[in-house]
Each structure stands twice: as structure tokens, then as C-alpha cells.
């Protein structure tokens, strides 16, 4: 896995912060922005998109991840997540990200872009169920 540069780290957090402004969260009023850095160097952003039928909504992290995969990406260096208070990715997003690697860095920042936590997908999802459980490499 590639290691992001300090500049890439700052850029990724800023991309997530800017994306957060496009979140569609009229029900929770909890806007989330995510930016995912692929090994290719490309960045994919996502926001949470809520729905009047509540369970239909989608988190920012998975929006970014699924967009990246739809563009052919499979390996990722890092994801930046920006919320008002530096909230952590939910369990479903941890599981979705884990499919593509436990070493992906996770940078969690607040609305001002201040880094609140630095971790990895594997640290966030201990003893993960993954592709190996189904005989996949
Ligand atoms: N949300 C995310 O986008 N990512 C997370 O990891 C946590 C929760 C969204 C879902 C919902 O639109 C709002 O935040 C409140 O739960």
C-alpha cells in the first residue's frame, strides 16, 4: 500500500470538508463529507444523502467508496471524514471499507478541518469478517 504525503493528507481532509457542504441531510442536520484517496492517486468524494423514507439514506463514506469502485478502483490509501464534531464512521461503513483493505488510513476531522483522530479501518473494525472467510484472497 502506498503511503500518502503530508500534502495529500491535508488535501484529502480539505476535499472532505468542502464536500460536506453538499451533504443532503435535512432530517438529521448532521452533514458528513468524505474523501477517499485511491492507490492510483485519484480522490473520490462522498456525502450523506438522506431520504424521507429514513433507511434509504446513505452515508458519506460508502457514497465515496462505491463511486470509487464504480470507476474501477480497488485499493485505497486513506479516507478523510469530516463532521461537525469529528464523529467516527459507522459500523456499516467500517465493514464496507474493510472489504478493500484493513490498512486504509482513516483521518477524522471536524468542521474546521482540524484532525480529531487518526486510525485505520482495521483498528476501527477488530476481528473483521472478510473475504478470507469466504475463501477469497
Ligand atoms: N452518517 C454518515 O454519513 N457517516 C457515518 O459514518 C455516520 C453517519 C450520516 C448518516 C445520516 O445521514 C447522518 O449521518 C446521521 O446519522
Amino acid at each position: 500500500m502506498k503511503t500518502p504525503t503530508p500534502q495529500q493528507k491535508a488535501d484529502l481532509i480539505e476535499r472532505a470538508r468542502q464536500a460536506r457542504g453538499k451533504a443532503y441531510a435535512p432530517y438529521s442536520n448532521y452533514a458528513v463529507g468524505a474523501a477517499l484517496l485511491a492507490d492510483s492517486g485519484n480522490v473520490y468524494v462522498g456525502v450523506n444523502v438522506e431520504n424521507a423514507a429514513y433507511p434509504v439514506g446513505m452515508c458519506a463514506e460508502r457514497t465515496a467508496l462505491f463511486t470509487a469502485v464504480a470507476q474501477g478502483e480497488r485499493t485505497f490509501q486513506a479516507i478523510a471524514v469530516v463532521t461537525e464534531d469529528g464523529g467516527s464512521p459507522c459500523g456499516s461503513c467500517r465493514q464496507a471499507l474493510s472489504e478493500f483493505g484493513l490498512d486504509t488510513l482513516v483521518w477524522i476531522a471536524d468542521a474546521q478541518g482540524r484532525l480529531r483522530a487518526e486510525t485505520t479501518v482495521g483498528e476501527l473494525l477488530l476481528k473483521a469478517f472478510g473475504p478470507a472467510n469466504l475463501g477469497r484472497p
Side-chain angles (χ1 to χ4, degrees):
M1 193 196 75
K2 294 183 182 176
T3 305
T5 65
Q7 186 63 53
Q8 283 178 308
K9 181 178 181 179
D11 287 349
L12 203 67
I13 292 169
E14 179 56 17
R15 288 288 298 274
R17 198 185 69 78
Q18 286 181 8
R20 181 171 174 267
K22 297 194 171 69
Y24 179 73
Y27 304 105
S28 71
N29 285 313
Y30 190 79
V32 185
L36 181 63
L37 174 63
D39 278 350
S40 65
N42 293 330
V43 172
Y44 301 87
V45 298
V47 299
N48 54 332
V49 182
E50 298 184 348
N51 192 280
Y54 289 3
V56 173
M58 181 48 62
C59 292
E61 297 92 323
R62 277 177 288 162
T63 304
L65 176 65
F66 298 164
T67 299
V69 172
Q71 294 298 318
E73 305 285 6
R74 293 286 186 278
T75 53
F76 303 99
Q77 301 182 49
I79 185 166
V81 183
V82 172
T83 64
E84 182 63 38
D85 57 349
S88 271
C90 80
S92 294
C93 289
R94 295 175 193 204
Q95 182 67 38
L97 287 163
S98 76
E99 179 74 17
F100 299 95
L102 296 171
D103 294 333
T104 303
L105 294 164
V106 180
W107 295 316
I108 298 168
D110 62 24
Q112 286 71 44
R114 282 187 299 246
L115 189 65
R116 294 284 195 97
E118 179 163 11
T119 183
T120 65
V121 170
E123 283 176 5
L124 288 174
L125 191 71
L126 296 175
K127 303 184 190 300
F129 180 87
N133 294 105
L134 300 178
R136 299 277 172 173

